[in-house]
Amino acid sequence: MRFLFTVQGEGRGHYTQALSLAAVLRKHGHEVVAVLIGKSDSRQIPAFFIDKIGAPLFEFDSPNFTSFYKQKRPNILISMANNFLRPFVFKDSLQFIKHKIEELKPDKVINFYEMITGMAYGIYRFDKKMGIEMITLAHQYVLLNPHYKTTAEQDVKFYFLRMLSRINSTRASKILALSFRDMPGSKKKKIVTVPPLLRYEVLEIEPVRGDYVHGYMLNAGYFDEVLEWHKKNPDIPLRFFWDKKGAEEVTHVDDNFTLHKLSDEGFLRSMASCMAYATTSGFESLCEALYYRKPTLMVPVHVEQEFNAYDASLSGVGISAKKFKLNKLIEFIPQYTPDEHFREWVHQAEERFIKEICG
């Protein structure tokens, strides 16, 4: 079968998910004909993705969370307003998606939570007119599962996230909800619960306990926060990764604090050998931390990551904070009790994905 991927270009998670799925599909004799990426002005496509995806890449303008206050927490309402003020840009993007699907004629489109792709299917109905179905894939779809229970307060908090999830999956033939834990899906809502599809590199690295804190900051504005903590605690080594545009491969603050340009295996090996992990709560890296059994401090940047952090806490991944309070992380290490069934759940992923996508 021939697949077209469309990927939301925010953060690391959707890229690594796409890499993992592409590898599994090729292993089973299928082809990824192209990858369309909804780009963000503030970030760039990671080099490891460009090097390893093995398919032509195309970028288009897409809605993204606009960062304010020193590039830290995006304001959701301002982000939405900013995106809706760009109708002509998104009209071009819709036409771009339409043109690529008509040109490449894939058997199926796999959508990694890209809103423009969901909207294009709603407008042009490629499933009806061309017989090209769309399968959507993301952790956020867990919120659409009637078996996933939330409180009234959480229903209000995650309202826009649910709405966005519905928008980009309206015409999906199947909704694959990535989950930390197994749970029933919903045939009526076309939701199937699946394990996180971690890359082969993750499964091959044997974790050990080191003496440093490994970290990932989605927005460069958190650097000042981490630096302030480091100045007060200079004896604890910090090894952070970021995807800041124009950054050097390695930025040396001092002997005990380095910032690395986001890489592939370097990031994983650093995580596998750390004593604890501090992150802005991307789903993929939280799964990797749980697989390696690393105590984690989660500092959500936006509502998607607030949900990631909440759901991850139910599986014992770690603790949440509004700032990079690494003291809190150090104190948490002796109390860390991860979900012991998670590894078994992850090891079912390849079989389940082939069944749901190619069956």
Side-chain angles (χ1 to χ4, degrees):
M1 296 182 73
R2 299 170 69 253
F3 294 90
L4 174 68
F5 285 5
T6 61
V7 179
Q8 183 199 76
E10 287 276 324
R12 173 177 173 266
H14 297 298
Y15 290 117
T16 53
Q17 290 162 18
L19 273 180
S20 300
L21 184 55
V24 167
L25 290 174
R26 291 192 185 103
K27 178 182 175 183
H28 289 265
H30 305 290
E31 180 186 3
V32 178
V33 295
V35 181
L36 313 183
I37 299 174
K39 68 181 180 180
S40 166
D41 294 335
S42 61
R43 299 184 187 92
Q44 57 191 6
I45 302 174
F48 70 81
F49 185 79
I50 297 171
D51 293 341
K52 292 193 173 184
I53 190 59
L57 299 179
F58 302 91
E59 291 183 274
F60 61 94
D61 287 296
S62 182
N64 59 77
F65 290 106
T66 303
S67 295
F68 291 90
Y69 184 56
K70 296 185 180 179
Q71 299 182 347
K72 288 185 181 179
R73 298 180 61 83
N75 183 301
I76 299 301
L77 294 178
I78 296 178
S79 294
M80 290 178 66
N82 180 61
N83 287 317
F84 281 118
L85 288 173
R86 302 170 65 195
F88 296 108
V89 172
F90 296 144
K91 181 180 178 182
D92 290 344
S93 296
L94 288 166
Q95 288 291 323
F96 173 79
I97 295 288
K98 179 176 184 290
H99 171 72
K100 282 299 177 185
I101 290 176
E102 291 174 344
E103 174 193 354
L104 297 169
K105 295 182 176 61
D107 294 300
K108 295 181 182 180
V109 171
I110 309 296
N111 183 20
F112 295 83
Y113 211 68
E114 220 308 305
M115 191 166 80
I116 292 291
T117 305
M119 292 170 64
Y121 261 81
I123 295 169
Y124 302 118
R125 298 177 178 252
F126 305 111
D127 50 338
K128 293 287 187 183
K129 296 180 179 179
M130 299 179 66
I132 302 173
E133 64 182 81
M134 175 180 68
I135 297 175
T136 55
L137 168 65
H139 174 230
Q140 294 89 329
Y141 295 128
V142 169
L143 281 168
L144 303 182
N145 190 340
H147 295 283
Y148 189 83
K149 303 303 180 184
T150 52
T151 65
E153 180 183 352
Q154 289 166 340
D155 287 341
V156 173
K157 185 176 186 179
F158 299 135
Y159 174 80
F160 286 110
L161 190 54
R162 273 196 174 97
M163 181 178 70
L164 178 60
S165 300
R166 289 191 182 99
I167 289 172
N168 63 38
S169 65
T170 299
R171 294 203 64 84
S173 63
K174 191 173 292 185
I175 299 170
L176 302 183
L178 297 168
S179 176
F180 291 104
R181 303 164 300 282
D182 195 4
M183 72 178 77
S186 172
K187 190 172 183 180
K188 180 180 178 181
K189 294 182 178 292
K190 301 179 289 186
I191 296 172
V192 179
T193 304
V194 291
L197 185 60
L198 301 185
R199 289 168 296 149
Y200 296 126
E201 293 92 336
V202 177
L203 311 184
E204 291 171 352
I205 298 173
E206 191 64 33
V208 296
R209 175 164 177 171
D211 63 350
Y212 62 89
V213 173
H214 167 74
Y216 173 66
M217 56 179 75
L218 175 64
N219 290 325
Y222 280 107
F223 168 72
D224 292 338
E225 207 166 272
V226 177
L227 179 62
E228 182 182 351
W229 186 89
H230 173 65
K231 288 178 178 177
K232 297 176 182 176
N233 303 270
D235 296 331
I236 298 178
L238 304 180
R239 189 182 299 175
F240 270 70
F241 287 74
W242 59 359
D243 56 357
K244 181 182 178 182
K245 275 191 175 181
E248 299 289 334
E249 286 297 323
V250 181
T251 302
H252 290 272
V253 178
D254 58 34
D255 290 342
N256 270 353
F257 184 15
T258 55
L259 291 146
H260 302 253
K261 194 172 181 179
L262 188 57
S263 64
D264 185 13
E265 293 187 22
F267 180 91
L268 290 177
R269 293 191 180 281
S270 177
M271 178 185 285
S273 300
C274 71
M275 67 173 173
Y277 177 42
T279 175
T280 38
S281 308
F283 175 74
E284 192 78 5
S285 69
L286 292 178
C287 291
E288 291 162 354
L290 184 55
Y291 190 82
Y292 289 146
R293 297 186 175 94
K294 298 297 181 180
T296 301
L297 174 69
M298 299 173 284
V299 186
V301 172
H302 49 65
V303 68
E304 286 184 17
Q305 294 184 344
E306 287 180 13
F307 172 61
N308 291 343
Y310 165 74
D311 195 29
S313 68
L314 301 180
S315 288
V317 173
I319 53 175
S320 296
K322 292 184 177 180
K323 294 185 176 182
F324 276 91
K325 297 179 179 178
L326 300 185
N327 280 345
K328 189 175 180 180
L329 175 59
I330 303 300
E331 292 166 3
F332 170 70
I333 292 174
Q335 308 166 35
Y336 177 60
T337 53
D339 182 352
E340 294 299 327
H341 300 290
F342 181 73
R343 282 193 159 215
E344 180 184 346
W345 174 232
V346 166
H347 294 160
Q348 300 175 33
E350 181 174 331
E351 180 182 352
R352 290 194 180 222
F353 270 83
I354 290 298
K355 174 186 174 184
E356 298 301 337
I357 290 177
C358 304

PDB file of all heavy atoms in Angstrom, residues 26 32-35 49-50 52-58:
ATOM      1  N   ARG A  26       7.341   0.185   6.130  1.00  0.00           N
ATOM      2  CA  ARG A  26       8.323  -0.315   5.165  1.00  0.00           C
ATOM      3  C   ARG A  26       8.741  -1.752   5.499  1.00  0.00           C
ATOM      4  O   ARG A  26       8.961  -2.567   4.590  1.00  0.00           O
ATOM      5  CB  ARG A  26       9.551   0.601   5.144  1.00  0.00           C
ATOM      6  CG  ARG A  26       9.272   1.964   4.540  1.00  0.00           C
ATOM      7  CD  ARG A  26      10.556   2.743   4.269  1.00  0.00           C
ATOM      8  NE  ARG A  26      10.239   4.084   3.797  1.00  0.00           N
ATOM      9  CZ  ARG A  26      10.308   5.179   4.539  1.00  0.00           C
ATOM     10  NH1 ARG A  26      10.721   5.105   5.802  1.00  0.00           N
ATOM     11  NH2 ARG A  26       9.986   6.358   4.033  1.00  0.00           N
ATOM     12  N   VAL A  32       5.837   4.954   1.936  1.00  0.00           N
ATOM     13  CA  VAL A  32       5.425   6.324   2.262  1.00  0.00           C
ATOM     14  C   VAL A  32       5.846   7.193   1.082  1.00  0.00           C
ATOM     15  O   VAL A  32       7.036   7.378   0.831  1.00  0.00           O
ATOM     16  CB  VAL A  32       6.090   6.818   3.568  1.00  0.00           C
ATOM     17  CG1 VAL A  32       5.675   8.269   3.856  1.00  0.00           C
ATOM     18  CG2 VAL A  32       5.716   5.923   4.738  1.00  0.00           C
ATOM     19  N   VAL A  33       4.854   7.707   0.327  1.00  0.00           N
ATOM     20  CA  VAL A  33       5.169   8.404  -0.927  1.00  0.00           C
ATOM     21  C   VAL A  33       5.606   9.845  -0.696  1.00  0.00           C
ATOM     22  O   VAL A  33       6.341  10.422  -1.508  1.00  0.00           O
ATOM     23  CB  VAL A  33       3.973   8.367  -1.894  1.00  0.00           C
ATOM     24  CG1 VAL A  33       3.681   6.941  -2.311  1.00  0.00           C
ATOM     25  CG2 VAL A  33       2.728   9.013  -1.282  1.00  0.00           C
ATOM     26  N   ALA A  34       5.162  10.463   0.414  1.00  0.00           N
ATOM     27  CA  ALA A  34       5.560  11.843   0.721  1.00  0.00           C
ATOM     28  C   ALA A  34       5.098  12.188   2.128  1.00  0.00           C
ATOM     29  O   ALA A  34       4.211  11.535   2.691  1.00  0.00           O
ATOM     30  CB  ALA A  34       4.964  12.827  -0.278  1.00  0.00           C
ATOM     31  N   VAL A  35       5.709  13.225   2.685  1.00  0.00           N
ATOM     32  CA  VAL A  35       5.326  13.741   3.995  1.00  0.00           C
ATOM     33  C   VAL A  35       5.058  15.238   3.852  1.00  0.00           C
ATOM     34  O   VAL A  35       5.941  15.991   3.422  1.00  0.00           O
ATOM     35  CB  VAL A  35       6.424  13.502   5.052  1.00  0.00           C
ATOM     36  CG1 VAL A  35       5.977  14.040   6.411  1.00  0.00           C
ATOM     37  CG2 VAL A  35       6.770  12.019   5.153  1.00  0.00           C
ATOM     38  N   PHE A  49      14.871  14.038  11.356  1.00  0.00           N
ATOM     39  CA  PHE A  49      13.683  13.654  10.602  1.00  0.00           C
ATOM     40  C   PHE A  49      13.957  13.744   9.099  1.00  0.00           C
ATOM     41  O   PHE A  49      13.614  12.834   8.337  1.00  0.00           O
ATOM     42  CB  PHE A  49      12.513  14.554  10.985  1.00  0.00           C
ATOM     43  CG  PHE A  49      11.207  14.151  10.352  1.00  0.00           C
ATOM     44  CD1 PHE A  49      10.467  13.091  10.862  1.00  0.00           C
ATOM     45  CD2 PHE A  49      10.722  14.825   9.240  1.00  0.00           C
ATOM     46  CE1 PHE A  49       9.279  12.709  10.272  1.00  0.00           C
ATOM     47  CE2 PHE A  49       9.527  14.451   8.643  1.00  0.00           C
ATOM     48  CZ  PHE A  49       8.801  13.389   9.158  1.00  0.00           C
ATOM     49  N   ILE A  50      14.591  14.819   8.687  1.00  0.00           N
ATOM     50  CA  ILE A  50      14.944  15.001   7.275  1.00  0.00           C
ATOM     51  C   ILE A  50      15.843  13.864   6.801  1.00  0.00           C
ATOM     52  O   ILE A  50      15.668  13.317   5.706  1.00  0.00           O
ATOM     53  CB  ILE A  50      15.644  16.363   7.068  1.00  0.00           C
ATOM     54  CG1 ILE A  50      14.678  17.508   7.421  1.00  0.00           C
ATOM     55  CG2 ILE A  50      16.137  16.509   5.633  1.00  0.00           C
ATOM     56  CD1 ILE A  50      15.344  18.872   7.446  1.00  0.00           C
ATOM     57  N   LYS A  52      16.166  10.764   8.054  1.00  0.00           N
ATOM     58  CA  LYS A  52      15.729   9.374   8.223  1.00  0.00           C
ATOM     59  C   LYS A  52      14.350   9.043   7.660  1.00  0.00           C
ATOM     60  O   LYS A  52      14.017   7.863   7.531  1.00  0.00           O
ATOM     61  CB  LYS A  52      15.750   9.010   9.710  1.00  0.00           C
ATOM     62  CG  LYS A  52      17.153   8.954  10.304  1.00  0.00           C
ATOM     63  CD  LYS A  52      17.148   8.298  11.668  1.00  0.00           C
ATOM     64  CE  LYS A  52      18.561   8.079  12.179  1.00  0.00           C
ATOM     65  NZ  LYS A  52      18.580   7.354  13.463  1.00  0.00           N
ATOM     66  N   ILE A  53      13.528  10.026   7.329  1.00  0.00           N
ATOM     67  CA  ILE A  53      12.157   9.711   6.936  1.00  0.00           C
ATOM     68  C   ILE A  53      12.102   8.952   5.608  1.00  0.00           C
ATOM     69  O   ILE A  53      11.198   8.144   5.374  1.00  0.00           O
ATOM     70  CB  ILE A  53      11.276  10.988   6.888  1.00  0.00           C
ATOM     71  CG1 ILE A  53       9.801  10.616   6.713  1.00  0.00           C
ATOM     72  CG2 ILE A  53      11.756  11.932   5.819  1.00  0.00           C
ATOM     73  CD1 ILE A  53       9.205   9.745   7.784  1.00  0.00           C
ATOM     74  N   GLY A  54      13.049   9.197   4.700  1.00  0.00           N
ATOM     75  CA  GLY A  54      13.111   8.419   3.475  1.00  0.00           C
ATOM     76  C   GLY A  54      11.974   8.669   2.511  1.00  0.00           C
ATOM     77  O   GLY A  54      11.557   7.763   1.770  1.00  0.00           O
ATOM     78  N   ALA A  55      11.444   9.886   2.502  1.00  0.00           N
ATOM     79  CA  ALA A  55      10.357  10.255   1.584  1.00  0.00           C
ATOM     80  C   ALA A  55      10.463  11.745   1.299  1.00  0.00           C
ATOM     81  O   ALA A  55      11.005  12.501   2.108  1.00  0.00           O
ATOM     82  CB  ALA A  55       8.999   9.918   2.201  1.00  0.00           C
ATOM     83  N   PRO A  56       9.952  12.198   0.144  1.00  0.00           N
ATOM     84  CA  PRO A  56       9.963  13.628  -0.147  1.00  0.00           C
ATOM     85  C   PRO A  56       9.201  14.428   0.902  1.00  0.00           C
ATOM     86  O   PRO A  56       8.138  14.001   1.366  1.00  0.00           O
ATOM     87  CB  PRO A  56       9.277  13.716  -1.514  1.00  0.00           C
ATOM     88  CG  PRO A  56       9.406  12.352  -2.109  1.00  0.00           C
ATOM     89  CD  PRO A  56       9.378  11.404  -0.959  1.00  0.00           C
ATOM     90  N   LEU A  57       9.741  15.595   1.284  1.00  0.00           N
ATOM     91  CA  LEU A  57       9.116  16.460   2.288  1.00  0.00           C
ATOM     92  C   LEU A  57       8.599  17.730   1.629  1.00  0.00           C
ATOM     93  O   LEU A  57       9.271  18.323   0.791  1.00  0.00           O
ATOM     94  CB  LEU A  57      10.129  16.843   3.372  1.00  0.00           C
ATOM     95  CG  LEU A  57      10.759  15.724   4.197  1.00  0.00           C
ATOM     96  CD1 LEU A  57      11.753  16.309   5.192  1.00  0.00           C
ATOM     97  CD2 LEU A  57       9.704  14.926   4.935  1.00  0.00           C
ATOM     98  N   PHE A  58       7.395  18.159   2.052  1.00  0.00           N
ATOM     99  CA  PHE A  58       6.808  19.397   1.570  1.00  0.00           C
ATOM    100  C   PHE A  58       6.219  20.147   2.747  1.00  0.00           C
ATOM    101  O   PHE A  58       5.580  19.545   3.618  1.00  0.00           O
ATOM    102  CB  PHE A  58       5.706  19.122   0.533  1.00  0.00           C
ATOM    103  CG  PHE A  58       6.169  18.338  -0.654  1.00  0.00           C
ATOM    104  CD1 PHE A  58       6.086  16.948  -0.658  1.00  0.00           C
ATOM    105  CD2 PHE A  58       6.700  18.977  -1.770  1.00  0.00           C
ATOM    106  CE1 PHE A  58       6.517  16.204  -1.754  1.00  0.00           C
ATOM    107  CE2 PHE A  58       7.132  18.240  -2.871  1.00  0.00           C
ATOM    108  CZ  PHE A  58       7.044  16.856  -2.862  1.00  0.00           C
TER     109      PHE A  58
END
